[in-house]
Amino acid sequence: MNAETKPGAVTPHDLTSAIRFLAIDAVQAVNPGHPGAPLGMAEIALALWHGQVRQIVAGRARAGA
């Protein structure tokens, strides 16, 4: 824990770990094969969510959609 992190705060590492575990569960549930892509792209999913999706949702909310 670094000096800026509050106890109990969710870190980006926590979020990517959660994405990875959810991906493992999804791959196991449908049994399509190897979970490499979802596991390896957890950071990309997090970056897209924080950088793009939130801006799109916020823009739609301002536009009244």
Short mmCIF file of all heavy atoms in Angstrom, two decimals:
data_model
loop_
_atom_site.label_atom_id
_atom_site.label_comp_id
_atom_site.label_asym_id
_atom_site.label_seq_id
_atom_site.Cartn_x
_atom_site.Cartn_y
_atom_site.Cartn_z
N MET A 1 0.85 -1.17 0.00
CA MET A 1 0.00 0.00 0.00
C MET A 1 0.90 1.23 0.00
O MET A 1 1.78 1.35 0.82
CB MET A 1 -0.90 -0.03 1.23
CG MET A 1 -1.78 1.17 1.33
SD MET A 1 -3.01 1.22 2.67
CE MET A 1 -2.68 -0.11 3.73
N ASN A 2 0.65 2.15 -0.94
CA ASN A 2 1.46 3.36 -0.95
C ASN A 2 0.82 4.42 -0.06
O ASN A 2 -0.26 4.24 0.48
CB ASN A 2 1.68 3.87 -2.39
CG ASN A 2 0.39 4.30 -3.06
OD1 ASN A 2 -0.53 4.78 -2.42
ND2 ASN A 2 0.32 4.12 -4.36
N ALA A 3 1.49 5.54 0.08
CA ALA A 3 1.04 6.58 1.01
C ALA A 3 -0.27 7.23 0.56
O ALA A 3 -1.00 7.75 1.38
CB ALA A 3 2.13 7.64 1.14
N GLU A 4 -0.58 7.19 -0.75
CA GLU A 4 -1.78 7.84 -1.26
C GLU A 4 -3.03 6.97 -1.15
O GLU A 4 -4.13 7.45 -1.29
CB GLU A 4 -1.57 8.24 -2.71
CG GLU A 4 -0.45 9.23 -2.91
CD GLU A 4 -0.19 9.50 -4.37
OE1 GLU A 4 -1.01 9.10 -5.21
OE2 GLU A 4 0.84 10.11 -4.66
N THR A 5 -2.86 5.68 -0.94
CA THR A 5 -3.99 4.75 -0.90
C THR A 5 -4.60 4.70 0.49
O THR A 5 -3.91 4.47 1.46
CB THR A 5 -3.54 3.34 -1.31
OG1 THR A 5 -2.90 3.41 -2.58
CG2 THR A 5 -4.71 2.41 -1.41
N LYS A 6 -5.90 4.89 0.54
CA LYS A 6 -6.61 4.81 1.81
C LYS A 6 -6.89 3.34 2.12
O LYS A 6 -7.12 2.55 1.21
CB LYS A 6 -7.93 5.56 1.72
CG LYS A 6 -7.78 7.04 1.50
CD LYS A 6 -9.12 7.69 1.37
CE LYS A 6 -8.97 9.15 1.05
NZ LYS A 6 -10.27 9.79 0.80
N PRO A 7 -6.90 2.98 3.37
CA PRO A 7 -7.24 1.60 3.73
C PRO A 7 -8.65 1.27 3.24
O PRO A 7 -9.57 2.05 3.40
CB PRO A 7 -7.17 1.59 5.26
CG PRO A 7 -6.30 2.74 5.61
CD PRO A 7 -6.53 3.77 4.53
N GLY A 8 -8.79 0.13 2.59
CA GLY A 8 -10.08 -0.29 2.08
C GLY A 8 -10.42 0.26 0.71
O GLY A 8 -11.45 -0.07 0.15
N ALA A 9 -9.55 1.12 0.14
CA ALA A 9 -9.81 1.68 -1.18
C ALA A 9 -9.54 0.63 -2.25
O ALA A 9 -8.67 -0.22 -2.11
CB ALA A 9 -8.93 2.90 -1.42
N VAL A 10 -10.31 0.69 -3.33
CA VAL A 10 -10.13 -0.24 -4.45
C VAL A 10 -9.06 0.32 -5.38
O VAL A 10 -9.16 1.46 -5.83
CB VAL A 10 -11.46 -0.43 -5.20
CG1 VAL A 10 -11.28 -1.35 -6.38
CG2 VAL A 10 -12.52 -0.97 -4.27
N THR A 11 -8.05 -0.48 -5.66
CA THR A 11 -6.96 -0.06 -6.53
C THR A 11 -7.16 -0.61 -7.94
O THR A 11 -7.95 -1.54 -8.14
CB THR A 11 -5.61 -0.57 -5.97
OG1 THR A 11 -5.62 -2.00 -6.05
CG2 THR A 11 -5.38 -0.12 -4.55
N PRO A 12 -6.46 -0.06 -8.93
CA PRO A 12 -6.54 -0.63 -10.28
C PRO A 12 -6.14 -2.11 -10.31
O PRO A 12 -6.71 -2.89 -11.07
CB PRO A 12 -5.56 0.23 -11.08
CG PRO A 12 -5.57 1.54 -10.38
CD PRO A 12 -5.71 1.20 -8.92
N HIS A 13 -5.19 -2.49 -9.47
CA HIS A 13 -4.80 -3.90 -9.41
C HIS A 13 -5.97 -4.77 -8.94
O HIS A 13 -6.20 -5.86 -9.46
CB HIS A 13 -3.60 -4.08 -8.49
CG HIS A 13 -3.20 -5.51 -8.31
ND1 HIS A 13 -2.58 -6.23 -9.30
CD2 HIS A 13 -3.35 -6.35 -7.27
CE1 HIS A 13 -2.37 -7.46 -8.86
NE2 HIS A 13 -2.83 -7.55 -7.62
N ASP A 14 -6.72 -4.29 -7.96
CA ASP A 14 -7.90 -5.00 -7.48
C ASP A 14 -8.92 -5.18 -8.61
O ASP A 14 -9.52 -6.24 -8.76
CB ASP A 14 -8.56 -4.28 -6.32
CG ASP A 14 -7.70 -4.21 -5.07
OD1 ASP A 14 -6.82 -5.08 -4.91
OD2 ASP A 14 -7.90 -3.27 -4.28
N LEU A 15 -9.12 -4.11 -9.37
CA LEU A 15 -10.10 -4.16 -10.46
C LEU A 15 -9.68 -5.14 -11.55
O LEU A 15 -10.50 -5.93 -12.03
CB LEU A 15 -10.31 -2.77 -11.05
CG LEU A 15 -10.93 -1.75 -10.11
CD1 LEU A 15 -10.92 -0.37 -10.74
CD2 LEU A 15 -12.33 -2.16 -9.73
N THR A 16 -8.40 -5.12 -11.94
CA THR A 16 -7.96 -6.05 -12.98
C THR A 16 -7.99 -7.48 -12.47
O THR A 16 -8.32 -8.40 -13.23
CB THR A 16 -6.55 -5.70 -13.50
OG1 THR A 16 -5.63 -5.64 -12.42
CG2 THR A 16 -6.56 -4.38 -14.25
N SER A 17 -7.72 -7.69 -11.20
CA SER A 17 -7.83 -9.05 -10.64
C SER A 17 -9.27 -9.53 -10.69
O SER A 17 -9.54 -10.69 -11.02
CB SER A 17 -7.32 -9.07 -9.20
OG SER A 17 -5.94 -8.82 -9.17
N ALA A 18 -10.21 -8.65 -10.38
CA ALA A 18 -11.62 -9.02 -10.44
C ALA A 18 -12.04 -9.36 -11.87
O ALA A 18 -12.75 -10.34 -12.10
CB ALA A 18 -12.48 -7.89 -9.89
N ILE A 19 -11.57 -8.58 -12.84
CA ILE A 19 -11.87 -8.86 -14.24
C ILE A 19 -11.31 -10.22 -14.63
O ILE A 19 -11.98 -11.01 -15.30
CB ILE A 19 -11.31 -7.75 -15.16
CG1 ILE A 19 -12.08 -6.45 -14.93
CG2 ILE A 19 -11.39 -8.16 -16.63
CD1 ILE A 19 -11.45 -5.24 -15.59
N ARG A 20 -10.10 -10.50 -14.20
CA ARG A 20 -9.49 -11.80 -14.52
C ARG A 20 -10.28 -12.97 -13.95
O ARG A 20 -10.53 -13.96 -14.62
CB ARG A 20 -8.05 -11.84 -14.02
CG ARG A 20 -7.11 -11.05 -14.87
CD ARG A 20 -5.67 -11.29 -14.45
NE ARG A 20 -4.80 -10.52 -15.30
CZ ARG A 20 -4.27 -9.35 -14.96
NH1 ARG A 20 -4.49 -8.84 -13.76
NH2 ARG A 20 -3.49 -8.70 -15.80
N PHE A 21 -10.68 -12.85 -12.68
CA PHE A 21 -11.42 -13.95 -12.06
C PHE A 21 -12.80 -14.12 -12.70
O PHE A 21 -13.27 -15.24 -12.88
CB PHE A 21 -11.53 -13.75 -10.55
CG PHE A 21 -10.26 -14.12 -9.84
CD1 PHE A 21 -9.46 -13.16 -9.28
CD2 PHE A 21 -9.86 -15.45 -9.77
CE1 PHE A 21 -8.29 -13.49 -8.64
CE2 PHE A 21 -8.68 -15.80 -9.13
CZ PHE A 21 -7.89 -14.82 -8.55
N LEU A 22 -13.45 -13.01 -13.05
CA LEU A 22 -14.73 -13.12 -13.75
C LEU A 22 -14.55 -13.76 -15.12
O LEU A 22 -15.39 -14.54 -15.57
CB LEU A 22 -15.38 -11.74 -13.87
CG LEU A 22 -15.88 -11.14 -12.57
CD1 LEU A 22 -16.31 -9.71 -12.79
CD2 LEU A 22 -17.03 -11.97 -12.01
N ALA A 23 -13.45 -13.43 -15.81
CA ALA A 23 -13.16 -14.04 -17.11
C ALA A 23 -12.92 -15.54 -16.97
O ALA A 23 -13.39 -16.32 -17.79
CB ALA A 23 -11.95 -13.37 -17.75
N ILE A 24 -12.21 -15.94 -15.92
CA ILE A 24 -11.97 -17.37 -15.69
C ILE A 24 -13.30 -18.08 -15.48
O ILE A 24 -13.55 -19.14 -16.07
CB ILE A 24 -11.05 -17.58 -14.47
CG1 ILE A 24 -9.63 -17.12 -14.79
CG2 ILE A 24 -11.05 -19.04 -14.04
CD1 ILE A 24 -8.73 -17.03 -13.58
N ASP A 25 -14.19 -17.50 -14.67
CA ASP A 25 -15.50 -18.10 -14.44
C ASP A 25 -16.31 -18.21 -15.72
O ASP A 25 -16.96 -19.22 -15.97
CB ASP A 25 -16.28 -17.31 -13.40
CG ASP A 25 -15.74 -17.48 -11.99
OD1 ASP A 25 -15.00 -18.46 -11.75
OD2 ASP A 25 -16.06 -16.62 -11.14
N ALA A 26 -16.28 -17.16 -16.55
CA ALA A 26 -17.04 -17.17 -17.79
C ALA A 26 -16.51 -18.23 -18.76
O ALA A 26 -17.29 -18.95 -19.39
CB ALA A 26 -16.99 -15.79 -18.45
N VAL A 27 -15.19 -18.33 -18.88
CA VAL A 27 -14.60 -19.32 -19.77
C VAL A 27 -14.91 -20.74 -19.29
O VAL A 27 -15.25 -21.62 -20.08
CB VAL A 27 -13.07 -19.10 -19.91
CG1 VAL A 27 -12.40 -20.27 -20.61
CG2 VAL A 27 -12.80 -17.81 -20.66
N GLN A 28 -14.84 -20.95 -18.00
CA GLN A 28 -15.16 -22.27 -17.45
C GLN A 28 -16.64 -22.61 -17.63
O GLN A 28 -16.99 -23.76 -17.86
CB GLN A 28 -14.79 -22.35 -15.97
CG GLN A 28 -13.30 -22.33 -15.73
CD GLN A 28 -12.59 -23.55 -16.31
OE1 GLN A 28 -13.11 -24.64 -16.31
NE2 GLN A 28 -11.41 -23.31 -16.83
N ALA A 29 -17.51 -21.62 -17.56
CA ALA A 29 -18.95 -21.87 -17.66
C ALA A 29 -19.35 -22.30 -19.06
O ALA A 29 -20.20 -23.17 -19.22
CB ALA A 29 -19.73 -20.62 -17.25
N VAL A 30 -18.76 -21.70 -20.09
CA VAL A 30 -19.15 -22.04 -21.46
C VAL A 30 -18.19 -23.03 -22.11
O VAL A 30 -18.48 -23.55 -23.18
CB VAL A 30 -19.30 -20.79 -22.33
CG1 VAL A 30 -20.42 -19.92 -21.82
CG2 VAL A 30 -18.02 -20.01 -22.41
N ASN A 31 -17.04 -23.27 -21.49
CA ASN A 31 -16.04 -24.24 -21.94
C ASN A 31 -15.63 -24.06 -23.40
O ASN A 31 -15.60 -25.02 -24.16
CB ASN A 31 -16.54 -25.67 -21.69
CG ASN A 31 -15.42 -26.67 -21.71
OD1 ASN A 31 -14.25 -26.31 -21.58
ND2 ASN A 31 -15.77 -27.92 -21.89
N PRO A 32 -15.29 -22.81 -23.84
CA PRO A 32 -14.90 -22.62 -25.23
C PRO A 32 -13.43 -22.91 -25.51
O PRO A 32 -13.04 -23.00 -26.66
CB PRO A 32 -15.20 -21.15 -25.49
CG PRO A 32 -14.88 -20.52 -24.18
CD PRO A 32 -15.34 -21.53 -23.15
N GLY A 33 -12.61 -23.00 -24.49
CA GLY A 33 -11.20 -23.24 -24.73
C GLY A 33 -10.31 -22.48 -23.77
O GLY A 33 -10.55 -22.45 -22.58
N HIS A 34 -9.31 -21.82 -24.31
CA HIS A 34 -8.26 -21.18 -23.52
C HIS A 34 -8.65 -19.77 -23.10
O HIS A 34 -9.09 -18.97 -23.92
CB HIS A 34 -6.98 -21.14 -24.35
CG HIS A 34 -5.78 -20.82 -23.52
ND1 HIS A 34 -5.46 -19.55 -23.14
CD2 HIS A 34 -4.84 -21.62 -22.98
CE1 HIS A 34 -4.35 -19.57 -22.41
NE2 HIS A 34 -3.96 -20.83 -22.31
N PRO A 35 -8.48 -19.40 -21.83
CA PRO A 35 -8.86 -18.07 -21.35
C PRO A 35 -7.77 -17.01 -21.51
O PRO A 35 -7.79 -16.00 -20.85
CB PRO A 35 -9.15 -18.32 -19.88
CG PRO A 35 -8.21 -19.40 -19.51
CD PRO A 35 -8.15 -20.30 -20.72
N GLY A 36 -6.80 -17.23 -22.39
CA GLY A 36 -5.66 -16.32 -22.50
C GLY A 36 -6.01 -14.90 -22.84
O GLY A 36 -5.49 -13.95 -22.24
N ALA A 37 -6.87 -14.69 -23.84
CA ALA A 37 -7.21 -13.33 -24.25
C ALA A 37 -7.92 -12.56 -23.14
O ALA A 37 -7.51 -11.43 -22.83
CB ALA A 37 -8.04 -13.33 -25.52
N PRO A 38 -8.97 -13.10 -22.52
CA PRO A 38 -9.61 -12.32 -21.45
C PRO A 38 -8.68 -12.04 -20.27
O PRO A 38 -8.75 -10.97 -19.67
CB PRO A 38 -10.79 -13.16 -21.01
CG PRO A 38 -10.93 -14.25 -21.98
CD PRO A 38 -9.69 -14.32 -22.80
N LEU A 39 -7.81 -12.99 -19.96
CA LEU A 39 -6.90 -12.78 -18.84
C LEU A 39 -5.85 -11.73 -19.17
O LEU A 39 -5.51 -10.89 -18.34
CB LEU A 39 -6.21 -14.09 -18.45
CG LEU A 39 -7.10 -15.16 -17.84
CD1 LEU A 39 -6.30 -16.43 -17.62
CD2 LEU A 39 -7.71 -14.68 -16.57
N GLY A 40 -5.33 -11.78 -20.38
CA GLY A 40 -4.28 -10.85 -20.77
C GLY A 40 -4.76 -9.45 -21.06
O GLY A 40 -3.96 -8.51 -21.08
N MET A 41 -6.04 -9.29 -21.30
CA MET A 41 -6.56 -7.98 -21.69
C MET A 41 -7.31 -7.28 -20.56
O MET A 41 -8.04 -6.32 -20.80
CB MET A 41 -7.45 -8.13 -22.92
CG MET A 41 -6.67 -8.62 -24.12
SD MET A 41 -7.62 -8.71 -25.61
CE MET A 41 -7.81 -6.98 -25.96
N ALA A 42 -7.12 -7.72 -19.33
CA ALA A 42 -7.82 -7.09 -18.20
C ALA A 42 -7.43 -5.62 -18.05
O ALA A 42 -8.29 -4.78 -17.80
CB ALA A 42 -7.52 -7.85 -16.91
N GLU A 43 -6.16 -5.31 -18.23
CA GLU A 43 -5.72 -3.91 -18.11
C GLU A 43 -6.31 -3.05 -19.23
O GLU A 43 -6.65 -1.89 -19.01
CB GLU A 43 -4.19 -3.79 -18.14
CG GLU A 43 -3.52 -4.27 -16.87
CD GLU A 43 -3.23 -5.76 -16.90
OE1 GLU A 43 -3.51 -6.40 -17.92
OE2 GLU A 43 -2.73 -6.27 -15.89
N ILE A 44 -6.42 -3.63 -20.43
CA ILE A 44 -7.00 -2.89 -21.55
C ILE A 44 -8.47 -2.61 -21.28
O ILE A 44 -8.96 -1.51 -21.53
CB ILE A 44 -6.80 -3.67 -22.86
CG1 ILE A 44 -5.31 -3.76 -23.18
CG2 ILE A 44 -7.57 -3.05 -24.01
CD1 ILE A 44 -4.97 -4.71 -24.29
N ALA A 45 -9.19 -3.60 -20.75
CA ALA A 45 -10.59 -3.39 -20.42
C ALA A 45 -10.75 -2.28 -19.38
O ALA A 45 -11.64 -1.43 -19.49
CB ALA A 45 -11.20 -4.70 -19.91
N LEU A 46 -9.89 -2.28 -18.39
CA LEU A 46 -9.95 -1.25 -17.36
C LEU A 46 -9.65 0.13 -17.95
O LEU A 46 -10.35 1.11 -17.65
CB LEU A 46 -8.97 -1.56 -16.23
CG LEU A 46 -8.98 -0.61 -15.04
CD1 LEU A 46 -10.32 -0.63 -14.34
CD2 LEU A 46 -7.87 -0.97 -14.09
N ALA A 47 -8.64 0.21 -18.80
CA ALA A 47 -8.29 1.49 -19.42
C ALA A 47 -9.42 2.00 -20.30
O ALA A 47 -9.74 3.20 -20.30
CB ALA A 47 -7.01 1.35 -20.23
N LEU A 48 -10.05 1.11 -21.07
CA LEU A 48 -11.16 1.53 -21.92
C LEU A 48 -12.33 2.01 -21.07
O LEU A 48 -12.98 3.00 -21.41
CB LEU A 48 -11.60 0.38 -22.83
CG LEU A 48 -10.68 0.07 -23.98
CD1 LEU A 48 -11.14 -1.19 -24.70
CD2 LEU A 48 -10.61 1.24 -24.94
N TRP A 49 -12.61 1.31 -19.99
CA TRP A 49 -13.73 1.71 -19.15
C TRP A 49 -13.49 3.09 -18.54
O TRP A 49 -14.35 3.95 -18.60
CB TRP A 49 -13.96 0.69 -18.03
CG TRP A 49 -15.00 1.15 -17.07
CD1 TRP A 49 -14.80 1.63 -15.82
CD2 TRP A 49 -16.41 1.23 -17.31
NE1 TRP A 49 -16.00 1.99 -15.25
CE2 TRP A 49 -17.01 1.76 -16.15
CE3 TRP A 49 -17.21 0.92 -18.40
CZ2 TRP A 49 -18.37 1.97 -16.05
CZ3 TRP A 49 -18.58 1.13 -18.28
CH2 TRP A 49 -19.13 1.64 -17.12
N HIS A 50 -12.31 3.29 -17.98
CA HIS A 50 -12.03 4.57 -17.32
C HIS A 50 -11.85 5.70 -18.32
O HIS A 50 -12.21 6.84 -18.04
CB HIS A 50 -10.79 4.46 -16.43
CG HIS A 50 -11.08 3.82 -15.12
ND1 HIS A 50 -11.84 4.40 -14.15
CD2 HIS A 50 -10.73 2.61 -14.64
CE1 HIS A 50 -11.94 3.60 -13.12
NE2 HIS A 50 -11.28 2.50 -13.38
N GLY A 51 -11.28 5.39 -19.49
CA GLY A 51 -10.97 6.46 -20.44
C GLY A 51 -12.06 6.77 -21.43
O GLY A 51 -12.25 7.93 -21.78
N GLN A 52 -12.81 5.77 -21.89
CA GLN A 52 -13.75 5.99 -22.97
C GLN A 52 -15.20 5.83 -22.56
O GLN A 52 -16.01 6.71 -22.81
CB GLN A 52 -13.44 5.01 -24.12
CG GLN A 52 -12.08 5.22 -24.74
CD GLN A 52 -11.95 6.57 -25.41
OE1 GLN A 52 -12.89 7.03 -26.05
NE2 GLN A 52 -10.82 7.21 -25.25
N VAL A 53 -15.53 4.72 -21.97
CA VAL A 53 -16.93 4.42 -21.69
C VAL A 53 -17.54 5.44 -20.75
O VAL A 53 -18.66 5.90 -20.96
CB VAL A 53 -17.08 2.98 -21.14
CG1 VAL A 53 -18.50 2.69 -20.75
CG2 VAL A 53 -16.58 1.98 -22.17
N ARG A 54 -16.83 5.84 -19.74
CA ARG A 54 -17.37 6.83 -18.80
C ARG A 54 -17.63 8.16 -19.50
O ARG A 54 -18.61 8.83 -19.20
CB ARG A 54 -16.43 7.03 -17.62
CG ARG A 54 -16.50 5.89 -16.64
CD ARG A 54 -15.71 6.21 -15.41
NE ARG A 54 -15.90 5.18 -14.41
CZ ARG A 54 -15.38 5.22 -13.22
NH1 ARG A 54 -14.64 6.24 -12.86
NH2 ARG A 54 -15.59 4.25 -12.37
N GLN A 55 -16.77 8.55 -20.44
CA GLN A 55 -16.98 9.79 -21.16
C GLN A 55 -18.21 9.69 -22.06
O GLN A 55 -18.98 10.64 -22.18
CB GLN A 55 -15.76 10.15 -21.99
CG GLN A 55 -14.57 10.55 -21.15
CD GLN A 55 -13.33 10.82 -21.99
OE1 GLN A 55 -13.38 10.79 -23.21
NE2 GLN A 55 -12.22 11.09 -21.33
N ILE A 56 -18.40 8.53 -22.69
CA ILE A 56 -19.55 8.34 -23.56
C ILE A 56 -20.84 8.40 -22.73
O ILE A 56 -21.80 9.07 -23.11
CB ILE A 56 -19.43 7.00 -24.31
CG1 ILE A 56 -18.29 7.07 -25.31
CG2 ILE A 56 -20.74 6.63 -25.01
CD1 ILE A 56 -17.90 5.72 -25.91
N VAL A 57 -20.85 7.71 -21.61
CA VAL A 57 -22.05 7.70 -20.75
C VAL A 57 -22.32 9.10 -20.22
O VAL A 57 -23.47 9.55 -20.21
CB VAL A 57 -21.87 6.68 -19.60
CG1 VAL A 57 -22.98 6.81 -18.58
CG2 VAL A 57 -21.80 5.28 -20.15
N ALA A 58 -21.29 9.81 -19.79
CA ALA A 58 -21.47 11.16 -19.28
C ALA A 58 -21.99 12.10 -20.38
O ALA A 58 -22.85 12.95 -20.13
CB ALA A 58 -20.17 11.69 -18.70
N GLY A 59 -21.48 11.95 -21.60
CA GLY A 59 -21.94 12.76 -22.71
C GLY A 59 -23.39 12.52 -23.04
O GLY A 59 -24.15 13.44 -23.33
N ARG A 60 -23.82 11.27 -22.98
CA ARG A 60 -25.23 10.94 -23.25
C ARG A 60 -26.12 11.50 -22.15
O ARG A 60 -27.23 11.95 -22.42
CB ARG A 60 -25.40 9.44 -23.36
CG ARG A 60 -24.85 8.89 -24.64
CD ARG A 60 -25.15 7.42 -24.77
NE ARG A 60 -24.58 6.91 -25.99
CZ ARG A 60 -24.44 5.65 -26.26
NH1 ARG A 60 -24.80 4.72 -25.36
NH2 ARG A 60 -23.92 5.25 -27.40
N ALA A 61 -25.65 11.45 -20.91
CA ALA A 61 -26.45 11.98 -19.81
C ALA A 61 -26.63 13.49 -19.95
O ALA A 61 -27.72 14.02 -19.71
CB ALA A 61 -25.78 11.65 -18.47
N ARG A 62 -25.58 14.18 -20.39
CA ARG A 62 -25.68 15.63 -20.59
C ARG A 62 -26.60 15.94 -21.76
O ARG A 62 -27.29 16.95 -21.77
CB ARG A 62 -24.31 16.23 -20.83
CG ARG A 62 -23.49 16.38 -19.58
CD ARG A 62 -22.24 17.18 -19.87
NE ARG A 62 -21.41 16.48 -20.83
CZ ARG A 62 -20.25 15.91 -20.55
NH1 ARG A 62 -19.77 15.99 -19.34
NH2 ARG A 62 -19.56 15.29 -21.48
N ALA A 63 -26.61 15.08 -22.80
CA ALA A 63 -27.43 15.31 -23.98
C ALA A 63 -28.89 14.93 -23.74
O ALA A 63 -29.74 15.21 -24.58
CB ALA A 63 -26.88 14.52 -25.16
N GLY A 64 -29.16 14.27 -22.64
CA GLY A 64 -30.53 13.89 -22.33
C GLY A 64 -30.96 12.58 -22.96
O GLY A 64 -32.14 12.28 -23.06
N ALA A 65 -30.00 11.77 -23.41
CA ALA A 65 -30.34 10.49 -24.05
C ALA A 65 -30.50 9.40 -23.06
O ALA A 65 -30.05 9.38 -22.00
CB ALA A 65 -29.26 10.11 -25.06
#
